[in-house]
Amino acid sequence: MRTNSLQQHVNEPTRGNNILDLVMTTTDLSINDLKVKHKIGDHQMIDFSLEVQDPNTTTQHKQVLDYKRANFELMKEELGSHNYEVLMSNKNAKECYMIFKEMILTATEHQIPRKRVRPTNNPSWFSQEI
């Protein structure tokens, strides 16, 4: 999600002991007073307020990853330089996932530059090729 500038705001279970209902926003949106409330069917209700800016009043640029200028060879070397067996010994699956995720995000920060772009109303996956 971080690579797409998305943030997930629900941190409490919404069905049983699982977080199944999500509230995801781009990082420039602000969610306030998010609460997991009473049940509706077999899910918990999520209540929150959303702060949005009038798109006509701001022309801020945002930072996105520039994959065309990425150095994937160095990224591969950086990820290959770790001793995963030692790093992940005596860890459960979730801990291993978190270690590996942090390695991927760190390598991404090191090897994929960012560029400034004008915000559009299109989703982030929508490109000129489509």
Side-chain angles (χ1 to χ4, degrees), residues 13-46:
T14 58
R15 184 171 189 247
N17 293 325
N18 303 303
I19 300 175
L20 296 182
D21 303 289
L22 307 176
V23 174
M24 295 192 304
T25 63
T26 55
T27 53
D28 56 345
L29 291 177
S30 179
I31 296 286
N32 294 316
D33 304 320
L34 187 136
K35 294 181 181 96
V36 177
K37 291 190 158 189
H38 60 279
K39 277 188 154 190
I40 297 178
D42 59 350
H43 290 259
Q44 302 289 116
M45 182 177 87
I46 301 171

Side-chain angles (χ1 to χ4, degrees), residues 1-6 65 67 75 78-79 82 97-112 114:
M1 285 192 299
R2 214 165 88 180
T3 57
N4 290 319
S5 300
L6 292 176
L65 294 170
Y67 291 101
M75 187 173 189
E78 185 174 338
L79 290 170
H82 300 289
Y97 165 76
M98 295 304 288
I99 291 168
F100 188 66
K101 175 183 153 188
E102 193 55 42
M103 289 176 171
I104 293 285
L105 293 173
T106 300
T108 298
E109 290 295 320
H110 292 161
Q111 306 306 336
I112 303 176
R114 293 185 173 270

Side-chain angles (χ1 to χ4, degrees), residues 28-127:
D28 56 345
L29 291 177
S30 179
I31 296 286
N32 294 316
D33 304 320
L34 187 136
K35 294 181 181 96
V36 177
K37 291 190 158 189
H38 60 279
K39 277 188 154 190
I40 297 178
D42 59 350
H43 290 259
Q44 302 289 116
M45 182 177 87
I46 301 171
D47 184 39
F48 61 92
S49 61
L50 175 66
E51 287 184 28
V52 294
Q53 297 177 350
D54 182 356
N56 297 323
T57 62
T58 60
T59 57
Q60 296 174 347
H61 288 80
K62 68 178 186 175
Q63 295 271 334
V64 297
L65 294 170
D66 187 357
Y67 291 101
K68 288 182 182 177
R69 293 182 22 225
N71 190 333
F72 290 109
E73 284 302 314
L74 280 178
M75 187 173 189
K76 183 178 172 182
E77 284 179 30
E78 185 174 338
L79 290 170
S81 69
H82 300 289
N83 186 339
Y84 294 97
E85 202 170 308
V86 171
L87 286 170
M88 296 185 186
S89 67
N90 300 320
K91 305 274 192 301
N92 64 35
K94 185 175 183 179
E95 292 169 323
C96 290
Y97 165 76
M98 295 304 288
I99 291 168
F100 188 66
K101 175 183 153 188
E102 193 55 42
M103 289 176 171
I104 293 285
L105 293 173
T106 300
T108 298
E109 290 295 320
H110 292 161
Q111 306 306 336
I112 303 176
R114 293 185 173 270
K115 64 181 178 181
R116 287 180 52 180
V117 296
R118 283 188 195 271
T120 66
N121 291 332
N122 297 331
S124 59
W125 52 264
F126 194 83
S127 67

